Amino acid sequence: MIKRCLLVLGMGLAFAGNAAAAEQVDLDMVGRIRQEAFHRSQVMDTFSYLTESIGPRLTNSPAMARANDWTRQKFGEWGLVDAHDEAFDGFGRGWEFDSASVEMLEPRVTQLYALPKAWTPGTKGTVEGEVIKVEIKKLADLEKYKGKLRGKILLLGDAREYKRGTEPDSHRHDATSLEGLQEFTIPKSMDKDRAKRLKEYAERQELTRAINAFLAEEGALAAISISGWDNGIIRVGGGGSRKAGEPVGIPELAMIAEHYNQLARALERKQPVKLRVNVDARFTDETDQPGHNTVAEIRGSSKADEIVMLGAHMDSWHTGTGAADNAAGVAVMMEAMRILKAVGAKPRRTIRVALWSGEEQGLIGSQAYVAKHFAHYPEPTDPAQKALPASLREPTGPLRKLRDYEKFSVYFNMDNGSGRFRGIYAQENIAAMPIFEAWLKPFNDVGATSVVTRNTGSTDHISFDRVGLPGFQFIQDRLDYFSNVHHSNLDTWDHAEAEDLKQAAAIVASFVYNAAMREEKMPRKPLLED
Amino acid sequence: MIKRCLLVLGMGLAFAGNAAAAEQVDLDMVGRIRQEAFHRSQVMDTFSYLTESIGPRLTNSPAMARANDWTRQKFGEWGLVDAHDEAFDGFGRGWEFDSASVEMLEPRVTQLYALPKAWTPGTKGTVEGEVIKVEIKKLADLEKYKGKLRGKILLLGDAREYKRGTEPDSHRHDATSLEGLQEFTIPKSMDKDRAKRLKEYAERQELTRAINAFLAEEGALAAISISGWDNGIIRVGGGGSRKAGEPVGIPELAMIAEHYNQLARALERKQPVKLRVNVDARFTDETDQPGHNTVAEIRGSSKADEIVMLGAHMDSWHTGTGAADNAAGVAVMMEAMRILKAVGAKPRRTIRVALWSGEEQGLIGSQAYVAKHFAHYPEPTDPAQKALPASLREPTGPLRKLRDYEKFSVYFNMDNGSGRFRGIYAQENIAAMPIFEAWLKPFNDVGATSVVTRNTGSTDHISFDRVGLPGFQFIQDRLDYFSNVHHSNLDTWDHAEAEDLKQAAAIVASFVYNAAMREEKMPRKPLLED
């Protein structure tokens, strides 16, 4: 049996001369966590089940519901308590697709590759039509297409020039790139830009609704846009509308650049182009439905009413299997909880895990959870603000803090792909940095070394951060996240590596355990409005 | 009007102290060629027509016949003479495919991406079946599958681990990499290996025929193997058999690694896997047909019976559009001929262009052409040798030289993708090097600088080289030839660049003009058998 010891760690390099109190770390427990994480891992079983048995998990799709069920059940099996799904409003309808086929019939016969945008209708069988190019950049552009679209298949834009790959697909940090992250860029004022962007956002939303209604009314068969990336990768999100009662438009697909450009160039040459399209896609609800986060916990002991959280979004886009984005994060967070149970952790604070939904459409699940449990800003009255997902709105009026606001310690999130942890973004919480340095020390040998002041954005820790609660994400090796897999049909099992996920799970388990055990809650940075 | 002048160029760096005679270059003509190539180029029109109007050009397919017709007609339009198709025997049947769809029905429903191997049959409508893995490495392995394959879809092998891309997709030469090409590696003796490889080749051929017959007889619905490359790219060649009377097996497809691996892993987990497959593919002939090279020329004047040749293979694989491999080469060689007519070149020797077929199956078209016009080795009596494509056979007995053998000067080929020319491989023809240095000099400014002793292999210049005739290929920037496009469904228009093809056409036009004008024919290296 391993001797239990509490080692008082000195501060990390960055804080060598700092007066911050030394941070105690239970190295015996860290050792147990490492053993369980590295030698008895189940993280790949979880990752495989989510990606390959359940598959992609679009918010409110039947697959997402299966993921809620399966993960809740797993939490129960592992001895977590209060495993439940927690509903949130404001999402819309479920949608799924089974197949999508596009064939070119003219100017020559061949198979083309395209996949549907989420929340666009299927074709209800095979349709064939002539292809024409349309360019609709503003409402007034609709007029010129009136009466001209019936039975047509629409190309939404020109050919795009191929962008040659001059950097390696896959990237891992080295000492130099990590050092580069230590620099903090003082933000420019964005106020003017923000107003402009808001206006443009509202206009785009209005234009989209008008186009959807127009194309359906005019009887166009389908619309095709170019994939966001080259090299045969289909990078695509949503189209149509997920909101019941809004026009969903016509079947819309994103096509690989190499095929789309052929069509566009043929039209430029005035060659007739004819396609056959069959998209088997459907809305799975008639009316808007609540989304669901799956939540479970390990109850604390002496400080059971105080909360340490960890989480990751379980929803994904629909064309890959939502592997790096974000079965990886879910599998790691679940594994961290399993490890803590397996090593017999008895935390002082309650450790709660949340598997969010609706992240891809604007952090909807986590924002709703934080609003319900911890704090929220009043509903905006400005219509431009109301049109935004709540997580993206400007704070309006004083923050309304709920009872658990003061009971909350910290939230850790994972949503930067499946790459190895190399440290943590302190999100400008300077007081948290020496704590993180101490917690990372036992993982320096597996490559996690850096605590940086920088903010990292755009995922569920922001739902906490924006109401003044400590919420963090880890620095990760990028791998091929932004070259191959992010929101693409290649976001699949193969692009992840087991060793990276095992390392991440060990670090998360250790971090949340440390957070649950330390004397004080995690220090907070001041709310900007205070 | 530009003043015509003949400049006597000194030798290139490598031959600065050499006693080789100075090489005369008609710089006025080179200037005209550059003007036409860079400022009035039609190379992209040709490239576009071949890739996008005709599409992929599998040997003996209807599309290849259309390419023969169109290029022959173009040569006529441009004022070339004796434009004709020249038949060769020994290829087999034509084949083409229109569409290929694979859907997973179990363990979950989704669209998968796979394309057929050439010369395998279609499914004759939609088929559905359970997936099983088979491993057939030798004839004896067939026995264990007897009676077990009816109605099944076969996976031919295990999942393959993802190979992370740690080099940039696209590569262009720089001074260092070009310098590296200057080193010549003295070849090891391969005799023992060769006998072993021959035996293995014959055994593989026999096994393939036996498997094809067995799978069809046992009533398997289709077979799927993994694409040669990752990242959603389908890299695939032929299967079945192109020879009339041989068993063609069952429909066989290559699937993207990200999808194939999902199926393989599901089977490893003992999950039932069910697929729906529809491949619309067909043989276009009942009996073996001759293949066709397209040939045309500019007649010489004072040395009209002596021949300078240039060429590129026009056949391609079937899943992309045969762009880098090798519409690029065809477009450049055609453009070189067009340029020579446009600038009013009156060569002393005859300049003949050949657009080969059957290259991908073993240089069949060019080998047959060389055998018919210039020289060939006697038919082998060894059955192992007879089983090989003629271009790959060991020389047997003395070379039979035809009348035009001594009239032949040189052949230039292009088949290393669409990248810019950076010099030329001298193919160990040391006497040719100072000549090439002089010819390259007026193109040093567009990046073509290097003459290297190295051999480069595996395409149609080898049909000349192996009978002792000077045959050369240029050093080219690799671009993404070996990361994305070679023999893949991404071998399409977008991965080429117009400026590179213009540069190549100018150099080829200039080289063949120089070869046609110089006093002597190109020096030859000794035949090894002499």
Side-chain angles (χ1 to χ4, degrees), chain A residues 290-322:
Chain A
H292 292 90
N293 305 314
T294 295
V295 182
E297 62 189 35
I298 298 172
R299 286 297 286 174
S301 51
S302 61
K303 293 173 183 285
D305 59 341
E306 292 184 4
I307 304 155
V308 168
M309 284 191 73
L310 62 164
H313 75 85
M314 187 151 66
D315 67 294
S316 76
W317 286 108
H318 55 295
T319 60
T321 61

Side-chain angles (χ1 to χ4, degrees), chain B residues 99-305:
Chain B
S99 63
S101 161
V102 182
E103 292 162 65
M104 179 156 65
L105 304 178
E106 288 176 21
R108 59 190 184 84
V109 178
T110 196
Q111 181 79 50
L112 304 177
Y113 282 166
L115 290 171
K117 295 188 177 181
W119 309 297
T120 62
T123 53
K124 297 176 176 58
T126 296
V127 298
E128 291 184 11
E130 191 197 345
V131 176
I132 63 170
K133 205 186 82 178
V134 300
E135 279 197 285
I136 304 174
K137 298 212 164 124
K138 52 187 191 304
L139 283 172
D141 292 339
L142 296 177
E143 198 51 41
K144 65 183 170 202
Y145 295 111
K146 216 162 163 52
K148 293 179 180 163
L149 304 183
R150 187 156 305 276
K152 298 290 194 284
I153 294 170
L154 316 179
L155 284 201
L156 304 176
D158 292 321
R160 182 184 69 215
E161 194 171 350
Y162 178 69
K163 196 164 173 305
R164 217 161 271 294
T166 53
E167 295 294 324
D169 267 9
S170 190
H171 179 272
R172 285 194 186 273
H173 276 295
D174 57 18
T176 310
S177 64
L178 284 173
E179 185 56 35
L181 292 179
Q182 291 290 351
E183 196 187 351
F184 183 81
T185 306
I186 297 164
K188 291 184 183 169
S189 170
M190 303 271 280
D191 291 350
K192 258 189 288 182
D193 277 8
R194 202 177 275 143
K196 187 164 164 254
R197 284 207 313 272
L198 258 184
K199 185 159 168 286
E200 286 170 357
Y201 179 86
E203 284 169 1
R204 261 203 316 278
Q205 298 280 95
E206 190 196 347
L207 180 61
T208 298
R209 276 190 292 268
I211 292 173
N212 285 344
F214 179 78
L215 297 183
E217 197 176 290
E218 292 288 314
L221 296 177
I224 300 175
S225 55
I226 189 168
S227 164
W229 282 345
D230 293 329
N231 292 324
I233 299 170
I234 303 181
R235 189 176 201 231
V236 60
S241 173
R242 60 180 197 262
K243 299 287 187 184
E246 287 197 356
V248 297
I250 59 175
E252 192 174 339
L253 305 96
M255 182 174 277
I256 70 171
E258 284 81 356
H259 289 162
Y260 184 92
N261 288 345
Q262 283 184 48
L263 306 184
R265 282 189 294 263
L267 293 183
E268 279 167 30
R269 290 189 299 263
K270 315 284 180 209
Q271 278 182 303
V273 178
K274 198 174 165 192
L275 299 183
R276 175 185 293 153
V277 180
N278 190 344
V279 179
D280 184 2
R282 70 198 69 88
F283 286 89
T284 54
D285 309 294
E286 293 292 316
T287 55
D288 289 347
Q289 297 293 318
H292 292 89
N293 305 315
T294 295
V295 182
E297 62 188 35
I298 298 172
R299 285 298 286 175
S301 50
S302 59
K303 292 173 185 283
D305 59 341

Side-chain angles (χ1 to χ4, degrees), chain A residues 190-438:
Chain A
M190 304 270 281
D191 290 350
K192 260 189 285 180
D193 276 6
R194 203 178 273 143
K196 187 165 164 250
R197 284 206 314 272
L198 259 183
K199 186 160 166 285
E200 286 169 355
Y201 179 87
E203 285 169 1
R204 261 201 316 277
Q205 298 280 95
E206 190 196 347
L207 181 60
T208 299
R209 275 189 293 268
I211 293 173
N212 286 344
F214 178 77
L215 298 183
E217 199 176 289
E218 292 288 315
L221 296 177
I224 300 176
S225 54
I226 190 168
S227 164
W229 282 345
D230 294 328
N231 292 324
I233 300 170
I234 302 180
R235 189 175 201 232
V236 59
S241 173
R242 60 180 199 261
K243 299 288 188 183
E246 286 196 355
V248 296
I250 59 176
E252 192 174 339
L253 304 96
M255 180 173 279
I256 70 170
E258 284 81 356
H259 288 162
Y260 184 91
N261 287 346
Q262 284 184 48
L263 306 185
R265 281 189 295 261
L267 293 183
E268 280 168 29
R269 290 189 299 261
K270 314 287 181 204
Q271 279 182 302
V273 177
K274 197 174 166 191
L275 299 182
R276 176 186 291 152
V277 179
N278 190 344
V279 179
D280 183 5
R282 69 200 69 88
F283 286 88
T284 54
D285 309 295
E286 294 291 314
T287 57
D288 288 347
Q289 298 293 317
H292 292 90
N293 305 314
T294 295
V295 182
E297 62 189 35
I298 298 172
R299 286 297 286 174
S301 51
S302 61
K303 293 173 183 285
D305 59 341
E306 292 184 4
I307 304 155
V308 168
M309 284 191 73
L310 62 164
H313 75 85
M314 187 151 66
D315 67 294
S316 76
W317 286 108
H318 55 295
T319 60
T321 61
D325 190 12
N326 189 15
V330 171
V332 162
M333 294 301 169
M334 290 177 71
E335 175 74 353
M337 293 302 268
R338 188 196 67 76
I339 291 168
L340 290 173
K341 289 303 291 186
V343 300
K346 306 282 180 222
R348 297 164 78 187
R349 295 188 179 83
T350 292
I351 298 174
R352 184 182 297 164
V353 63
L355 308 177
W356 310 115
S357 189
E359 191 274 349
E360 295 293 2
Q361 293 75 42
L363 323 183
I364 304 177
S366 60
Q367 194 283 333
Y369 185 89
V370 169
K372 180 174 154 196
H373 290 268
F374 304 118
H376 55 269
Y377 290 98
E379 272 286 299
T381 50
D382 174 11
Q385 286 288 331
K386 277 178 89 83
L388 291 175
S391 66
L392 303 180
R393 292 174 187 160
E394 293 298 294
T396 45
L399 184 68
R400 292 181 187 159
K401 298 174 184 173
L402 308 183
R403 195 177 46 205
D404 279 351
Y405 189 78
E406 294 307 332
K407 298 288 184 188
F408 182 87
S409 175
V410 62
Y411 170 71
F412 295 102
N413 192 69
M414 176 172 168
D415 183 25
N416 279 335
S418 63
R420 186 167 290 223
F421 282 10
R422 307 307 304 270
I424 190 163
Y425 296 99
Q427 211 79 17
E428 292 185 76
N429 185 334
I430 304 302
M433 293 182 77
I435 301 169
F436 289 151
E437 299 263 358

